[in-house]
């Protein structure tokens, strides 16, 4: 049983369903929820869609899942640290969590790029896209190739999206330790 928090239109978790997983997507966006249902139906798969926000949903349901996924979502919320805590506190012992969150050191270069693009553009989405492609096409191409996302999505997530809040690594590690979360890997080690 797999739950993806902020699962969007569900393409990422579709592979788990195709491999026999029982997939649930929690997503606040109504349009994304409808599209997820449609995509799964066209692929002959079942999906449970919970149209709700991480901050408003009954998170006691998280204890019912074997795998919890929340990738690239928390930094777009109004309180990434609180969102991370909510997830970690609600998980059951033995749940495998795949969580990626914008961390301040790792986001530093991207933040500089983002500031440059915004300072050189007129602020419109079209001009932000133009300037980002002018200066950072290699980064965009690499993100498309290895992240398996469209150029449009990479540009939006990196340069256009108005809400990106990063979290210091020390804060992420502290929240994992407070919740007695065993980890398979991180750098630096949570136990450093």
């Amino acid at each position: 049983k797999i739950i993806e928090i902020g699962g969007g239109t569900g393409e990422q978790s579709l592979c788990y369903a195709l491999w026999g997983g029982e997939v649930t997507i929690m997503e606040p966006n109504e349009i994304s929820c409808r599209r997820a249902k449609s995509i799964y139906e066209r692929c002959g798969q079942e999906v449970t869609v919970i149209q709700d926000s991480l901050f408003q949903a009954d998170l006691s349901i998280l204890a019912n899942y074997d795998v919890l996924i929340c990738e690239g979502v928390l930094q777009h919320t109004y309180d990434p640290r609180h969102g991370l805590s909510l997830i970690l506190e609600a998980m059951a012992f033995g749940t495998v969590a795949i969580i990626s969150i914008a961390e301040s050191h790792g986001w530093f270069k991207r933040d500089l790029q983002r500031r440059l693009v915004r300072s050189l553009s007129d602020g419109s989405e079209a001009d932000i896209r133009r300037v980002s492609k002018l200066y950072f096409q290699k980064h965009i191409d690499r993100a498309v190739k290895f992240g398996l996302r469209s150029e449009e999505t990479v540009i939006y997530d990196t340069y256009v999206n108005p809400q990106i809040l990063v979290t210091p690594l020390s804060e992420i590690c502290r929240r994992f330790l407070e919740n007695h979360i065993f980890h398979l890997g991180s750098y630096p080690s949570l136990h450093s």
Side-chain angles (χ1 to χ4, degrees):
K1 291 182 71 176
I2 300 159
I3 186 164
E4 184 173 11
I5 298 171
T9 55
E11 288 95 342
Q12 181 170 310
S13 290
L14 180 60
C15 65
Y16 299 117
L18 292 169
W19 293 333
E22 185 180 319
V23 175
T24 299
I25 295 171
M26 180 184 292
E27 169 62 46
N29 184 288
E30 179 182 355
I31 295 168
S32 294
C33 289
R34 282 197 311 265
R35 181 153 167 76
K37 290 176 186 177
S38 173
I39 289 169
Y40 275 71
E41 187 176 294
R42 280 196 317 253
C43 292
Q45 298 298 313
E46 291 185 25
V47 64
T48 300
V49 177
I50 301 169
Q51 186 184 334
D52 211 344
S53 159
L54 166 66
F55 299 98
Q56 296 171 338
D58 173 10
L59 297 183
S60 67
I61 65 166
L62 298 184
N64 300 325
Y65 292 91
D66 305 303
V67 178
L68 181 146
I69 302 167
C70 185
E71 292 187 285
V73 172
L74 293 171
Q75 63 264 21
H76 299 300
T77 68
Y78 67 90
D79 193 346
R81 297 172 187 192
H82 182 58
L84 179 61
S85 288
L86 290 172
I87 291 169
L88 298 177
E89 291 166 6
M91 285 175 26
F93 179 78
T95 299
V96 173
I98 302 169
I99 298 173
S100 78
I101 181 172
E103 179 271 323
S104 52
H105 293 88
W107 190 259
F108 182 74
K109 178 181 173 185
R110 208 174 283 173
D111 188 45
L112 289 175
Q113 292 175 346
R114 189 176 154 85
R115 289 172 191 246
L116 176 70
V117 166
R118 288 171 168 266
S119 71
L120 296 176
S121 74
D122 65 13
S124 70
E125 186 170 330
D127 204 38
I128 290 172
R129 289 178 183 283
R130 179 190 65 79
V131 173
S132 66
K133 290 171 82 170
L134 180 66
Y135 288 94
F136 300 111
Q137 189 64 54
K138 284 183 181 180
H139 161 75
I140 295 165
D141 291 343
R142 192 171 47 255
V144 168
K145 181 178 180 179
F146 296 108
L148 303 176
R149 299 182 298 155
S150 70
E151 180 177 273
E152 182 179 316
T153 303
V154 169
I155 292 171
Y156 183 83
D157 283 351
T158 306
Y159 304 108
V160 176
N161 192 322
Q163 177 73 10
I164 299 177
L165 300 173
V166 298
T167 305
L169 183 59
S170 59
E171 181 70 19
I172 295 167
C173 293
R174 184 179 67 76
R175 290 179 192 251
F176 271 76
L177 287 170
E178 285 175 353
N179 287 283
H180 308 287
I181 304 295
F182 171 79
H183 68 288
L184 297 177
S186 67
Y187 179 81
S189 169
L190 293 179
H191 300 290
S192 297

